[in-house]
Amino acid sequence: MKPRPKSLSLQASFADTWAECTAAPRFIWENWDKIPQDTDTAYSIEGTLAHKVCECMLRNEPLPAGATPEMVSHAEGYVEFIDSLTGVDTRFVELKMPLYYQIERNAYADFVGVSDDGTRLHIVDYKYGFTPVNAYEKRQIAIYAMCAVKVLDGGVTEFTDDTSVSMHIYQPRVGEGLPSTWNLTLGALKRWLHENVDPAVLTILYPDDPDAEPPVFSPGDDTCRWCPASAICTARAQWLVADLPTVSAIVTNPQDVLDDPTEVVGFAPPETMDDTHLRAAMSVAGSLRKWLDDIEAHVKASILDGKPVEGWKVVEGRGSRQFADDTEAEKFLKARLKADAYQPKKLISVAQAEKALKGKLSDRMNKKFDSLVIRREGGPTLVPDTDKRPALNSPEDQFDNLNP
């Protein structure tokens, strides 16, 4: 296990959590031994490698081992975007910067570009995941920008409150892969940080300051998404079940639930709920599912970390069989099964075809391709009434339409 940090951590990448839920950093610190340590996942390993590909390409260095064609293609687009930025005289790749509010800790900006006269500053954050992230009023990239100002001002260039600051998030695997950008002056950025980041810093790091507000828990989908303590946070649990009938005992009397769940956990059957209860339940349904998934992941990680959880264990899942050597297996099967050794070829999907044909078809051939595609109707799906799709007719309305 990693040792408990000597001080509270206010990482820039975690800012959307601690700036809203100011009690979170101390809660994480105090419960450090209860939180399974981060382990590399396939996604984090992929993201780290994709960032390294971008870094090497910007530095004109050999690409790292394991770089995939997709990573290289997206990195080429990333480099083209950076080359298109105006007012860049000096470039910094993977710039290490002390956090402006906690200088003993550092942040790293994927790319920083500045003009010699101090009139332009560009910050680019490369994100390889599939969850859309918008640069507008994103605390993480705003913190990066201010950290870059603190590091470069008076040395590389001279900034003023009129300096134009452009903060970009380049996310090639989301939508059309177009970057999102937040533009404002340095003076406006300082004011925004003073209102949206600095008060939380004061509360968390300087609680005895007379201007510091008391720390508060502020659970929510966005706030809890990346919090390492979200699975053990009572505030989150209470928020999720607060408006549901007869289930608050899950949180307020956990021992009673363990002693006799049937007596305490009185989930009301849906048919007995009124519209108020149904709306309340539906409003947190997705969050409840995520919470339960987080709890399951937490218990599994805890057990694997050597911390038993009574009543549960981790076992080996069902494995799958595969050929140890495809070439040898092919020779063996082909000699005995002939054509039956192979599966029939399967046509690629419409989305795969569109991606493969992008930019390769004339207008006439594009129309030809479109004529080959049909859209099957989807099944009924329950969504909030804010969804832009039109509501389906009720069964009664559908039957009415059959009448002359």
Side-chain angles (χ1 to χ4, degrees):
M1 172 183 283
K2 294 180 182 178
R4 188 194 308 268
K6 294 181 179 179
S7 62
L8 303 183
S9 176
L10 299 189
Q11 297 172 331
S13 58
F14 191 41
D16 281 338
T17 294
W18 55 255
E20 296 292 338
C21 187
T22 52
R26 181 161 296 279
F27 181 78
I28 294 168
W29 189 83
E30 291 176 345
N31 292 277
W32 187 261
D33 59 334
K34 300 177 184 177
I35 301 171
Q37 298 302 300
D38 289 337
T39 55
D40 289 332
T41 65
Y43 300 110
S44 64
I45 293 171
E46 180 187 50
T48 299
L49 182 57
H51 274 78
K52 189 63 178 178
V53 172
C54 292
E55 178 186 352
C56 290
M57 201 168 286
L58 284 172
R59 296 185 189 276
N60 293 316
E61 296 175 350
L63 297 182
T68 66
E70 182 187 17
M71 290 178 185
V72 173
S73 175
H74 290 322
E76 289 172 344
Y78 174 68
V79 172
E80 289 178 8
F81 170 70
I82 286 176
D83 288 342
S84 72
L85 298 177
T86 59
V88 175
D89 297 311
T90 305
R91 296 179 169 208
F92 299 90
V93 179
E94 292 297 320
L95 179 63
K96 182 179 179 179
M97 312 169 295
L99 291 171
Y100 78 86
Y101 49 79
Q102 197 176 22
I103 59 174
E104 67 273 18
R105 295 183 179 272
N106 297 308
Y108 290 83
D110 294 331
F111 177 84
V112 177
V114 297
S115 62
D116 288 341
D117 61 7
T119 59
R120 293 302 307 269
L121 170 65
H122 290 278
I123 308 290
V124 185
D125 190 26
Y126 186 79
K127 294 190 181 296
Y128 202 62
F130 291 97
T131 303
V133 181
N134 196 306
Y136 181 70
E137 295 193 343
K138 180 68 176 174
R139 289 183 175 91
Q140 178 185 7
I141 201 165
I143 290 170
Y144 287 169
M146 182 53 63
C147 293
V149 168
K150 296 290 186 181
V151 168
L152 303 176
D153 192 27
V156 174
T157 189
E158 298 283 347
F159 296 115
T160 71
D161 280 354
D162 292 327
T163 295
S164 177
V165 181
S166 296
M167 293 162 283
H168 317 273
I169 290 181
Y170 191 91
Q171 202 169 9
R173 301 166 97 185
V174 172
E176 297 295 321
L178 299 176
S180 63
T181 299
W182 181 20
N183 296 309
L184 72 173
T185 65
L186 178 54
L189 174 63
K190 291 176 180 177
R191 291 190 293 273
W192 189 88
L193 288 168
H194 182 70
E195 295 175 0
N196 295 279
V197 172
D198 297 347
V201 171
L202 190 67
T203 290
I204 297 166
L205 297 183
Y206 308 99
D208 295 331
D209 189 288
D211 293 328
E213 295 289 337
V216 295
F217 285 100
S218 182
D221 288 335
D222 292 336
T223 313
C224 299
R225 178 173 289 122
W226 306 116
C227 179
S230 60
I232 63 171
C233 179
T234 301
R236 183 189 186 198
Q238 290 174 332
W239 162 65
L240 288 169
V241 302
D243 295 328
L244 301 185
T246 69
V247 299
S248 60
I250 293 177
V251 179
T252 56
N253 299 301
Q255 189 56 51
D256 291 341
V257 176
L258 292 174
D259 292 341
D260 191 348
T262 59
E263 289 296 324
V264 179
V265 185
F267 286 102
E271 62 271 15
T272 68
M273 296 186 185
D274 60 24
D275 282 355
T276 301
H277 287 143
L278 289 172
R279 287 196 302 271
M282 286 302 300
S283 69
V284 296
S287 300
L288 277 168
R289 294 188 191 99
K290 178 66 168 61
W291 177 48
L292 295 173
D293 288 343
D294 289 345
I295 290 175
E296 183 175 349
H298 174 82
V299 170
K300 179 181 177 182
S302 294
I303 294 174
L304 291 175
D305 203 29
K307 303 170 186 173
V309 176
E310 185 178 353
W312 294 91
K313 62 182 178 179
V314 176
V315 300
E316 183 178 342
R318 292 185 178 181
S320 60
R321 299 183 301 165
Q322 63 185 51
F323 293 117
D325 188 320
D326 286 347
T327 302
E328 290 299 316
E330 183 179 19
K331 290 179 183 178
F332 180 89
L333 296 174
K334 190 175 180 181
R336 292 160 177 79
L337 298 177
K338 303 293 189 292
D340 289 339
Y342 300 92
Q343 290 183 341
K345 288 185 177 180
K346 182 181 178 181
L347 204 61
I348 61 177
S349 68
V350 173
Q352 290 170 327
E354 286 177 330
K355 185 175 182 179
L357 294 171
K358 189 174 182 179
K360 298 179 180 180
L361 299 180
S362 64
D363 290 343
R364 186 170 68 86
M365 286 296 98
N366 269 320
K367 291 180 180 178
K368 173 66 175 176
F369 175 79
D370 290 341
S371 70
L372 299 173
V373 178
I374 62 171
R375 179 179 291 276
R376 298 185 183 278
E377 292 184 0
T381 300
L382 185 65
V383 298
D385 58 9
T386 54
D387 192 281
K388 295 181 179 179
R389 287 169 290 183
L392 293 178
N393 291 332
S394 66
E396 293 80 2
D397 292 339
Q398 293 177 21
F399 286 124
D400 288 344
N401 291 337
L402 297 178
N403 296 326

